Amino acid sequence: MTTTTLINTVDKAPAVPPQADCAAIPLIGLTRTGLRSALADAGVPERQLRMRTGQLWRWIYNRGVASFDDMTDVAKELRAALGERFTLERPEIVSEQISNDGTRKWLLRLAPDELGRRQDVETVFIPEDDRGTLCISSQVGCTLTCTFCHTGTQRLVRNLTAGEIASQIMLARDRLGEWPHQLEANPDAPVSGRFITNVVLMGMGEPLYNFDNVKDAMEIAGDGEGISLSKRRITLSTSGVVPEIVRAGAEIGTMLAISLHATTNEVRNKLVPLNKKYPIAELLQACRDYPGLSNARRITFEYVMLKDVNDSVADAKRLVQLLKGIPAKVNLIPFNPWPGTAHECSDWGTIEKFAEVVNRAGYSSPVRTPRGRDIMAACGQLKSASERLSARDRKALQEAAG
Ligand code: SAH
Ligand code: SF4
């Protein structure tokens, strides 16, 4: 059976057989330790390893170069050797859409996997007056099936590599003009030197089901000699993978957002089926145990407002009870519709009443303004064209990956 017929997909990209140049090893996505061993494998002498690792790290993550030829303080022969063995390629941009509110959505096509298939993911940039938030994906599709989420209708195709996660930040910087040489040439550049001030893992996928790669990518994003985003400006959103939550606090160290969305197990079991495995009480206990939790480092509880499902005043009161003792803020998200959904967004008056109850109990409860709805870039609207794989196809892919 050939690769093309093995995988049944509606992905528009043709299946690309692995080619010679696909064998080039991607450097984006390696942590410092990984970069150091890659350079050692490439023959960089032991005594130069520390210096070369630092040099390359800065070129890649601080200056954003996409070609070894631009690394002007690296000897020509070494540049050529690196270029033969490694690649700094980013995913290909299939499309860039700009919403009438300034939100940008990129559809990215990833490099071929072991079976030569290319998958697509989406990344969204949301500019606001006081910040610019980049929403990145951690998986192609999602194994979970939250009823209100468009991504949830697309079964997991695969985890993104650390490089594919970090590359979304690199690409956004390319396109927004955020690298030093681009900022120098832009008279309208922000004083802070950043368009992207915050990163949220709220795109496609469940980040805690791709723990190691998310961890490496966030280590790269937070490194002070590179992209240098404070971990306090990175938020990881989870639907509630309880066993990984405390570990995430200890090992990844970003801010945490919990997709709560309901105040009883009965309702949450329906909306977020993962709740049957990890019910509300266990989830909230994991939140209480989250390392570094304090009033200055609060957990965000996301709550999507669904008409007649979870939006009553009684729900708001229960929510406040549940959060007692947890340094928290509540983010009320008006439901963003997508084709084929059975849900409707709560009325504005209902959302306001809900917010008032939560507010009066002392929790900040901003209502998230929907952004980029016209280009299907708002929360929960992302879904790439890659279709669901059968269990047999997934097994074949895993076997091929070794
Ligand atoms: N899988 C992770 C992160 C991605 S979803 C998680 O579930 O937390 C990011 C946020 O968007 C989550 O809070 C999710 O519940 C919310 N969301 C999903 N679909 C939505 C929709 N249609 N309208 C509004 N918010 C939605
Ligand atoms: Fe997956 Fe999050 Fe969507 Fe649920 S809300 S289906 S966990 S991406």
Side-chain angles (χ1 to χ4, degrees):
M1 199 180 282
T2 67
T3 302
T4 329
T5 53
L6 178 68
I7 304 298
N8 179 19
T9 176
V10 297
D11 190 348
K12 289 184 280 328
V16 182
Q19 293 161 1
D21 64 350
C22 292
I25 302 165
L27 286 189
I28 296 178
L30 297 181
T31 57
R32 274 179 188 270
T33 324
L35 180 59
R36 189 186 161 101
S37 7
L39 294 180
D41 292 347
V44 173
E46 174 70 31
R47 67 192 140 73
Q48 287 184 13
L49 272 178
R50 197 185 145 87
M51 183 265 291
R52 294 287 181 215
T53 304
Q55 222 174 9
L56 256 79
W57 187 270
R58 287 186 293 276
W59 278 117
I60 299 170
Y61 295 116
N62 185 268
R63 311 289 287 275
V65 301
S67 157
F68 294 100
D69 289 337
D70 293 336
M71 300 182 175
T72 44
D73 58 359
V74 175
K76 244 189 175 167
E77 304 75 58
L78 180 57
R79 276 189 257 161
L82 294 172
E84 270 171 31
R85 192 177 176 104
F86 300 119
T87 172
L88 295 171
E89 234 172 52
R90 281 86 152 129
E92 184 188 319
I93 300 180
V94 179
S95 67
E96 174 178 76
Q97 285 173 280
I98 305 183
S99 158
N100 48 31
D101 68 16
T103 299
R104 291 189 191 210
K105 179 168 90 169
W106 296 283
L107 178 64
L108 307 179
R109 182 150 301 161
L110 307 172
D113 61 25
E114 293 78 1
L115 294 183
R117 281 169 32 91
R118 301 190 67 174
Q119 309 291 353
D120 297 344
V121 285
E122 295 183 315
T123 304
V124 177
F125 176 69
I126 307 144
E128 288 173 273
D129 289 344
D130 60 340
R131 65 178 66 192
T133 305
L134 187 71
C135 176
I136 60 176
S137 297
S138 55
Q139 298 182 309
V140 182
C142 188
T143 45
L144 302 173
T145 49
C146 304
T147 55
F148 48 84
C149 176
H150 202 199
T151 311
T153 64
Q154 180 187 7
R155 192 189 294 165
L156 175 75
V157 180
R158 70 172 171 83
N159 279 338
L160 298 190
T161 63
E164 289 163 346
I165 299 169
S167 284
Q168 294 172 65
I169 307 177
M170 311 282 285
L171 247 165
R173 290 195 118 186
D174 292 344
R175 297 298 302 160
L176 296 169
E178 201 181 73
W179 299 111
H181 67 279
Q182 295 172 306
L183 289 168
E184 275 159 26
N186 179 0
D188 299 324
V191 192
S192 66
R194 288 186 188 277
F195 291 105
I196 304 167
T197 59
N198 296 62
V199 166
V200 292
L201 280 147
M202 293 187 187
M204 294 163 64
E206 169 48 59
L208 294 186
Y209 277 155
N210 187 13
F211 194 99
D212 294 340
N213 293 339
V214 165
K215 179 181 163 183
D216 284 355
M218 293 310 103
E219 188 180 322
I220 291 166
D223 187 287
E225 285 191 8
I227 298 170
S228 195
L229 269 166
S230 155
K231 293 269 178 86
R232 299 186 62 160
R233 290 187 170 269
I234 303 178
T235 302
L236 183 155
S237 173
T238 177
S239 56
V241 186
V242 166
E244 307 291 7
I245 289 179
V246 171
R247 204 179 137 219
E251 295 183 27
I252 306 178
T254 58
M255 302 299 280
L256 179 68
I258 299 285
S259 294
L260 191 61
H261 307 317
T263 58
T264 65
N265 282 322
E266 194 192 346
V267 176
R268 196 165 191 268
N269 283 346
K270 286 192 199 121
L271 296 181
V272 184
L274 185 66
N275 193 70
K276 290 183 213 149
K277 204 165 174 191
Y278 307 119
I280 293 177
E282 283 181 34
L283 176 57
L284 295 181
Q285 190 52 49
C287 292
R288 290 193 171 86
D289 297 340
Y290 192 71
L293 189 58
S294 68
N295 273 330
R297 298 197 65 172
R298 287 181 276 175
I299 295 179
T300 302
F301 287 87
E302 296 161 280
Y303 199 98
V304 61
M305 297 300 293
L306 301 170
K307 190 175 190 158
D308 300 331
V309 176
N310 63 355
D311 60 352
S312 67
V313 167
D315 277 306
K317 288 183 176 165
R318 266 194 302 270
L319 177 60
V320 167
Q321 286 303 318
L322 286 173
L323 299 186
K324 249 194 179 141
I326 305 178
K329 51 190 167 189
V330 176
N331 211 327
L332 299 176
I333 317 174
F335 169 66
N336 293 307
W338 38 272
T341 178
H343 290 294
E344 274 179 72
C345 183
S346 308
D347 302 326
W348 192 248
T350 312
I351 300 180
E352 276 183 338
K353 266 192 225 146
F354 196 106
E356 207 182 300
V357 174
V358 180
N359 245 311
R360 259 195 274 123
Y363 295 101
S364 137
S365 55
V367 180
R368 193 183 288 172
T369 318
R371 298 291 304 264
R373 271 186 178 176
D374 55 331
I375 54 166
M376 289 289 284
C379 293
Q381 292 187 313
L382 306 184
K383 179 182 177 181
S384 60
S386 320
E387 262 306 326
R388 295 184 164 220
L389 290 185
S390 69
R392 192 189 56 174
D393 291 343
R394 278 208 308 280
K395 192 158 168 270
L397 196 63
Q398 275 159 8
E399 278 168 9

